Amino acid sequence: MKVLVTVKRVIDPYVKVRVKSDGSGVETANVKMTMNPFCEIAVEQAVRMKEAGVVSEIVAVSIGAPQCQETLRTAMAMGVDRGILVETEVDVQPLAVAKVMKAIVAKESPKLVIMGKQAIDDDSNQSGQMLAALLGWPQAAFISKIEINGDNADVTREIDGGLEKIAIRLPAVVTADLRLNEPRYVTLPNIMKAKKKPLEVVKPDALGVDVAPRLTTLKVEEPAKRGAGVKVADVKELVAKLKNEAKII
Amino acid sequence: MSSYAAPLKDMRFAIRELAGLSEISALPGCQEVNAELVDAVLSEAAKFAQEVLDPLNRDGDKAGATLADGKVTAPKGFKEAYRQFIEAGWNGLGGPAEFGGQGLPHIVSTPVQEIWKSANMALCLCPMLTSGVLEALKAHGSPEQQKAWMPKLTSGEWTGTMNLTEPQAGSDLSAVRARAVREGSHYRIQGTKIFITWGEHDLTENIVHLVLARTPDAPEGVKGISLFIVPKFRVKPDGALGERNDIRCVSIEHKLGIHASPTCVLAYGDQKGAIGYLVGEENRGLEYMFTMMNHARLSVGVEGVAVAERAYQHALEYARTRVQGREIGQRGGDRVTIIHHPDVRRMLMSMRAQTEAMRALAYFTAAALDRARHHPDPAEKRRSQGLLDLLTPVVKGWCTEQGVEIASTGIQVHGGMGFVEETGAAQYLRDARITTIYEGTTGIQANDLVGRKVGFEKGASALAAIGAMRQIDARLAAVGEELASARANLKEAVDHLESATRWIVETFPSAPKAVAAVSVPYLKLFGTVAGGWMMARAALIAQERLKQPDADRDFLHGKLATARFYGEHELPRAATLAREVTRGADSVLALDPAKF
């Protein structure tokens, strides 16, 4: 069975993010970029399923600037068979991602789409759910375990207050949570091999998708600086402060 | 505690702009290498180093390797990290493709080595020695020996060591006494070897020792030493491990630094003699050993860069967080982090500027090595070999001497907290301290430089390099005011280097002892000025790149600042060093040994 995975190029999680001086967004020029950690987990899952003989082909899709090719190469070095870059300079929003992916699904007809549950840059947590809705496919977000069982996938979802085990019919969309697996380190021979794997570049227009933003960003600003803490003498004072100053109880 | 982050931007800049990646990519056998591949390799190596190797560095230093019942155990976590290292294929980076390596050129392997050594020098000495053994076997081993030993050394399933030193034979290997007696198709080896890095350990199931020893009828001195492969476990024809060889780890050294790396005393032949296999011909062992020594010397030079970088990052982190005193020249106001104090800034700038210069020179030399190996034009090949031969002792000697100094400055930035082990700053100085000693001390490097590399060839390569340094003068002049200070400082320093070089060439035939007396100042002079040359080139390129709209302005402005600092604070040392060289030999030798 064929699996599609999505990989997003984001600011490296260890980089201190700076807001642009005009408040229009965050500074990304000349900042270290990497694969979104949740996408890495999605890729790892697909590769493990291929190694287990459950999956026959893995195709990775990235949407964005030409530099996303590097992110696709990393995915291929992890074990993905080929890559598709949907190249656009537009800052794509979740709905656009879902529409693009719907068009790719139509072309590739995978049995399973594995996405990261969210990207660490905008934390939207929407693309997977939107894609499932557009396709009319079953979905399971925030999965920590998946097993293919004939035409079904048995998945464990991380929900508030516990784990939920469900079976969903394939084809389906799932999104990876943190505990699904621990991504491997890319090996040097695989970095070399990844260079030779096929990478196709298409434009959103060619897929018939309009990726123009639907949401407008009004302003981006740094969170307020945290003030210094104070020592309290006893519980009584703490409770009083929480009540009167912080006004949270 | 700081955690290591590979300085990928500066590494890329040095690889692409200063060492000339595109030129190397065009060479036969290197065509696979391009900027994208180098980026991918470096970022994955950086990730592995940051997440796996660096976190073990401190604990490894504290625990150290241990010896019990002849068995050496690496510190906790090292075996697992090494397993991950070889599983990820990193051991085979530069290794030959026919034995499972990736065959990547030195312009790639050198920066990757820097990353390993910054993150965990003690552990990464082990793969460095393995690659030295591979070099030697590739150049001098028989096809059968290559087939038997190289695949598992390339993958890292086995590790390699170099056994040269004996108690009475350190820098002077002509005094080697270990015996090798022929017994059919193999030899029986007997003797004691000391200072064997990773000579015994629990990381892998087998260890392949390369051992220098004398056959019974060998001539005296360096022309009577042969090279042998002596495995810890013998290997059966089907590749399975056989009997344990007659080699015993008698003790491991208690050292100033690199505690996690076991430095072993190995006793060969306590019983019947260890079984060894001759490499190449008898009595040519030292010559063979030197093919890998030159390569290893470059690697140790890179250790100087690596430890300097790590010490800088550590000091920077401390300077950014330690609050002490108020801004100079301001009344009142809040207390500030010490990075606001000018002298702390001076120290950080000197650490950074020197490290950048050292990195550039090391990568530049690695590129010369690639050209010397792969260039199709014999004249260019020869020229590159000359440059490589000249710069190898400079990179080894200068980068390690500066590495020690920079690690020491790193402690100074911490003040009293640097002197206590708790902050971790001291480890870098302790680790760096070996780098000016092993693979030939700074004195040995300097003798090689003034003798074989400058004296004997009447300064040809050195004067050619000086000519190249002068070539950028016109380009610096064309930029005008902005690089005027860089230009003036470089020109003056190159003049000093040239006059000292001419003094060496003139003095060497009649008074080699005088030349040897000032060889280390000459080596430092050469390194300082060559580093200045690299920084001036960097400034020129940065200047040019800044005109592009999508330029990385912060990085390039930083480069202009460090280049200027180097010119104003490091290059002026050329004057005093040149003076030491040309006028200082007599006083070195003024006192007879008996008068001390």
Side-chain angles (χ1 to χ4, degrees), chain A residues 74-115:
Chain A
T74 306
M76 291 192 261
M78 289 175 74
V80 164
D81 297 298
R82 61 189 169 89
I84 300 171
L85 170 61
V86 182
E87 196 183 295
T88 170
E89 292 296 340
V90 175
D91 192 12
V92 286
Q93 293 174 348
L95 184 59
V97 171
K99 286 179 178 173
V100 167
M101 284 306 296
K102 186 187 172 202
I104 302 270
V105 165
K107 264 177 67 178
E108 296 283 344
S109 11
K111 233 171 155 193
L112 182 66
V113 179
I114 312 179
M115 300 170 82

Side-chain angles (χ1 to χ4, degrees), chain B residues 292-444:
Chain B
M292 72 167 163
M293 282 286 269
N294 271 326
H295 174 223
R297 285 179 170 175
L298 196 54
S299 299
V300 174
V302 172
E303 283 172 12
V305 183
V307 183
E309 174 65 39
R310 190 68 188 87
Y312 167 68
Q313 291 189 14
H314 202 76
L316 178 61
E317 165 95 13
Y318 188 78
R320 273 182 177 152
T321 46
R322 169 75 171 165
V323 176
Q324 200 74 182
R326 295 187 165 83
E327 191 106 43
I328 287 185
Q330 276 184 19
R331 287 207 174 172
D334 286 343
R335 288 198 163 77
V336 293
T337 49
I338 60 171
I339 198 168
H340 288 85
H341 302 320
D343 186 58
V344 173
R345 291 259 274 284
R346 179 191 60 78
M347 290 190 276
L348 292 171
M349 277 302 271
S350 96
M351 293 174 86
R352 175 163 157 181
Q354 289 189 77
T355 305
E356 288 177 12
M358 285 149 56
R359 173 176 297 123
L361 189 65
Y363 295 5
F364 179 80
T365 306
L369 172 53
D370 288 330
R371 284 198 307 274
R373 291 230 173 130
H374 301 286
H375 209 287
D377 174 12
E380 179 53 35
K381 213 178 169 118
R382 247 194 330 276
R383 199 191 66 81
S384 298
Q385 185 67 46
L387 186 64
L388 170 68
D389 290 344
L390 176 76
L391 291 181
T392 298
V394 175
V395 170
K396 159 63 168 94
W398 178 65
C399 291
T400 59
E401 290 285 339
Q402 299 314 106
V404 171
E405 196 180 292
I406 291 165
S408 178
T409 306
I411 291 180
Q412 193 70 18
V413 170
H414 288 73
M417 290 309 289
F419 193 66
V420 295
E421 289 284 353
E422 193 185 305
T423 50
Q427 186 190 349
Y428 307 124
L429 178 63
R430 290 188 288 96
D431 283 355
R433 200 60 194 82
I434 185 60
T435 61
T436 63
I437 299 169
Y438 60 15
E439 297 297 343
T441 60
T442 308
I444 295 282

Side-chain angles (χ1 to χ4, degrees), chain A residues 30 40 185 187-188 195-196, chain B residues 9 32 47 51 88 552:
Chain A
N30 300 305
E40 235 183 320
Y185 288 104
T187 73
L188 180 65
K195 286 197 318 165
K196 299 186 182 88
Chain B
K9 278 187 185 176
E32 248 190 309
K47 187 175 173 191
E51 292 176 11
D552 188 346

